[in-house]
Amino acid sequence: MIIFKYGKDRLTAGSALSLARGHMKGVLDKDIILNIEKSASTVATMLERNAEAVYGVNTGFGPLCTVMIPQRDVLTLQRNLLISHSVGVGNNCDTLIVKLMMITKVHALSLGYSGITLETLERIIWHIDHDVIPVVPCQGSVGASGDLAPLSHCFLPLIGLGHVNHEGQVRPSSEILQLFDLAPITLKAKEGLALINGTQFIAAHAICVVEKLHLALTQADITGALMVEALSGSASPFDPDLHRLRPFKGNMHVAERLHYLIHGTEINISHIDCERVQDPYSLRCMPQVHGTSRDVWLHLKERTEIEINSVTDNPVIFEGEKIISGGSFHGQPLALTLDYACLAASEIGSISERRTYLSLEGTTSGVPKLLIKDEGINSGFMIPQYTSAALVSENKTLCYPASADSIPTSLGQEDHVSMGSISGRKALQVTENVLKILGIELLCVAQAIDFKRPMKTHPILEAVVKEVRSKIPHITHDVLIGEYMHMAISLIYEGTVAEIVKNKKMEGYENFRTAYDELFEVY
């Protein structure tokens, strides 16, 4: 088992996902424990001295920051904070999202600037290691003073409240604590504030977008390359020499991949002297569209990994009893980036749907209308394109930037908020829709490429078609096509197509690499 040291090793999107899925184990190193204890001791000393007002330690919260709290009520203050802020609504978050929230929170608190106690951190790690995952409603954060509502729900089980997912069942956290012979924790000064201040809800969604958008981008190049072949498109728009004159990293990466897959294949050579001068944009402009979305993905990954290695609660405790109350909990750094990524994902779905539509037109040599020979009595592949169009339209409505909005909260104390939690949820939803759109393109292009037989395309693309045909037959008359459509979507959503490409590279097609391969990787 690979060991990750919280607060010491650099957390990446890939390592966070590995920790959440149990492929890595997170631990606290000895020197990190010393830093944690030192920070907690600083808070305890300042509270005992009670010489000055310290936000969230001996004062109220938000607009109540000027209200001094008697020492006898300090612990009650922290407990009340979790209880009063647990006001989330809507569907419950996926357990992966909640687990990522806990992992990124532990890592941030382990940096030693938050005043958290070792006991509390160890209990959160226990939840992660034993897969006892809190139930967290997905709506209610404005992404400003931290993701207050979702983080409050996330850490209610520490004090024996709320519900958890355990072994496939939702149960009261008090029952699970009794089952493991554990007592609820009594939160110390500042601990409640440290737990719920921060951007871990936004960050958890960003990590998932990083993974799923990467999956979509990888597979969009494959379905797109197949569609160029199936529709007798040209390989020349992907010539690397062209893209060196406009050297965006993503563009060059996609162009090299497409050129490698298409140039010189039997299908490509068969129509090299055809009269068509230029292909529609959805075919020849893939480097520009896919490539730009890749560059956006890279920007999201970079900013997400800065965020998940940062201290995002408030106030922040430094050595020498220096405490700064600032705004590092504000979600703007990820809110804007997630809105940008949402648009980048939507564009991949939009251009994919246009390629699907092209394959149905019947104007391309050798490919019949609606991808079926006996149209009229048969609708062929007409209606899957409707589904794709519906998903593309839905994505367009979700592209309005949540970060463009701000509604003041906390009686005006929090007068500008990021709405980054909504940015994250929207970006993830759009990306999942795009995976479905790509699945529909895969279904159609496998049918279209059959009409090019016996000619072959590149072995990597042939392996993808072979996998599709192992589950979905060539369709000659109307069938319950929706079932086959779901099978094709599963091949995309589960990463089967991406895995085939990866395995083929290992089997002797290592040249299917570009100078930017490592740059555009999650793990």
Side-chain angles (χ1 to χ4, degrees):
M1 178 68 74
I2 300 172
I3 298 298
F4 178 86
K5 297 175 182 177
Y6 288 119
K8 190 170 188 177
D9 294 338
R10 183 174 181 272
L11 190 62
T12 64
S15 58
L17 288 161
S18 293
L19 284 162
R21 289 171 178 146
H23 306 317
M24 296 175 70
K25 181 176 174 59
V27 299
L28 294 173
D29 213 28
K30 289 182 179 178
D31 53 344
I32 294 300
I33 290 174
L34 288 175
N35 290 339
I36 292 165
E37 291 177 333
K38 187 185 299 182
S39 180
S41 177
T42 298
V43 172
T45 299
M46 296 191 75
L47 179 65
E48 185 177 343
R49 193 167 59 240
N50 204 29
E52 59 182 290
V54 180
Y55 176 73
V57 176
N58 56 8
T59 75
F61 307 109
L64 303 176
C65 60
T66 57
V67 178
M68 292 295 293
I69 306 298
Q71 278 198 338
R72 66 179 181 274
D73 294 328
V74 164
L75 302 189
T76 302
L77 176 71
Q78 300 304 313
R79 177 183 173 85
N80 286 351
L81 185 64
L82 259 66
I83 295 170
S84 64
H85 286 57
S86 295
V87 292
V89 296
N91 295 330
N92 293 329
C93 294
D94 187 271
T95 53
L96 177 64
I97 290 285
V98 182
K99 210 166 186 182
L100 287 168
M101 289 170 64
M102 290 192 290
I103 288 164
T104 52
K105 175 60 78 173
V106 168
H107 187 61
L109 297 179
S110 297
L111 295 172
Y113 293 91
S114 301
I116 201 82
T117 65
L118 180 60
E119 178 192 16
T120 299
L121 271 184
E122 287 178 335
R123 177 60 63 83
I124 302 171
I125 294 171
W126 176 89
H127 276 271
I128 297 167
D129 291 346
H130 289 79
D131 221 28
V132 178
I133 310 303
V135 172
V136 177
C138 68
Q139 294 172 298
S141 171
V142 296
S145 189
D147 291 309
L148 296 174
L151 285 171
S152 295
H153 284 281
C154 187
F155 297 115
L156 272 181
L158 298 180
I159 59 175
L161 300 176
H163 290 75
V164 294
N165 285 282
H166 179 61
E167 296 181 347
Q169 291 186 322
V170 173
R171 299 171 63 181
S173 61
S174 57
E175 287 185 11
I176 299 301
L177 290 179
Q178 289 177 5
L179 181 66
F180 285 92
D181 198 25
L182 294 172
I185 283 175
T186 299
L187 296 175
K188 307 299 190 297
K190 193 188 176 296
E191 287 201 286
L193 192 59
L195 289 170
I196 72 170
N197 255 198
T199 59
Q200 284 74 34
F201 180 82
I202 302 173
H205 281 81
I207 291 167
C208 288
V209 174
V210 165
E211 182 181 47
K212 290 189 176 181
L213 181 52
H214 180 270
L215 184 62
L217 289 164
T218 299
Q219 297 178 128
D221 292 347
I222 302 304
T223 56
L226 273 168
M227 198 63 87
V228 172
E229 289 283 71
L231 303 185
S232 300
S234 173
S236 62
F238 315 127
D239 191 314
D241 287 341
L242 174 66
H243 295 276
R244 291 189 191 103
L245 303 180
R246 196 189 190 194
F248 291 107
K249 295 182 180 68
N251 294 30
M252 291 192 291
H253 179 67
V254 172
E256 285 187 40
R257 285 163 62 89
L258 293 173
H259 195 261
Y260 177 81
L261 290 170
I262 298 167
H263 181 70
T265 67
E266 286 183 20
I267 295 176
N268 178 246
I269 292 171
S270 72
H271 58 85
I272 203 162
D273 295 320
C274 70
E275 295 180 356
R276 193 165 72 192
V277 178
Q278 292 185 335
D279 297 322
Y281 288 2
S282 61
L283 297 182
R284 65 178 155 118
C285 295
M286 281 190 283
Q288 291 78 11
V289 178
H290 292 194
T292 302
S293 290
R294 279 188 177 270
D295 286 338
V296 175
W297 174 88
L298 183 61
H299 188 215
L300 173 66
K301 180 174 181 284
E302 289 172 345
R303 291 183 72 82
T304 298
E305 292 183 350
I306 290 173
E307 186 76 341
I308 62 179
N309 288 282
S310 300
V311 177
T312 59
D313 65 304
N314 180 64
V316 177
I317 300 161
F318 295 86
E319 288 189 20
E321 296 187 7
K322 178 183 179 180
I323 296 185
I324 299 177
S325 184
S328 294
F329 46 66
H330 202 290
Q332 194 80 347
L334 285 187
L336 287 173
T337 316
L338 281 163
D339 283 333
Y340 185 25
C342 184
L343 182 59
S346 180
E347 284 296 283
I348 295 301
S350 179
I351 196 171
S352 170
E353 183 277 330
R354 289 292 82 199
R355 293 192 296 262
T356 294
Y357 183 88
L358 275 179
S359 73
L360 305 179
E361 282 190 323
T363 57
T364 305
S365 176
V367 179
K369 187 182 292 185
L370 301 178
L371 295 174
I372 202 159
K373 288 187 175 178
D374 296 322
E375 80 275 8
I377 189 171
N378 294 300
S379 295
F381 287 71
M382 182 196 303
I383 305 304
Q385 185 264 333
Y386 284 36
T387 304
S388 187
L391 290 166
V392 169
S393 182
E394 181 178 313
N395 283 352
K396 289 176 183 178
T397 67
L398 291 169
C399 278
Y400 181 86
S403 57
D405 185 38
S406 176
I407 299 176
T409 57
S410 197
L411 303 185
Q413 177 77 6
E414 297 160 13
D415 56 352
H416 182 278
V417 299
S418 77
M419 300 298 180
S421 63
I422 303 169
S423 303
R425 288 169 43 230
K426 289 197 306 96
L428 187 55
Q429 184 179 343
V430 167
T431 304
E432 289 174 343
N433 285 346
V434 169
L435 292 170
K436 296 170 187 173
I437 294 165
L438 290 170
I440 293 169
E441 183 182 9
L442 181 64
L443 174 73
C444 292
V445 79
Q447 180 82 358
I449 207 82
D450 285 348
F451 294 108
K452 296 299 180 183
R453 300 308 186 197
M455 293 183 294
K456 291 185 179 295
T457 181
H458 191 280
I460 289 178
L461 299 180
E462 288 290 345
V464 172
V465 175
K466 182 180 179 181
E467 180 64 24
V468 176
R469 285 286 167 261
S470 72
K471 295 176 172 61
I472 303 170
H474 179 83
I475 295 172
T476 58
H477 59 279
D478 279 352
V479 294
L480 200 57
I481 199 168
E483 292 184 356
Y484 292 135
M485 188 180 76
H486 285 289
M487 290 178 187
I489 290 171
S490 292
L491 290 174
I492 294 289
Y493 204 88
E494 294 169 7
T496 305
V497 171
E499 195 62 29
I500 289 169
V501 174
K502 181 180 178 181
N503 290 339
K504 275 293 177 185
K505 285 165 69 174
M506 295 172 66
E507 290 174 10
Y509 295 97
E510 294 88 350
N511 288 333
F512 184 49
R513 290 183 62 81
T514 78
Y516 303 103
D517 260 31
E518 291 185 6
L519 187 65
F520 293 111
E521 285 297 337
V522 177
Y523 293 92

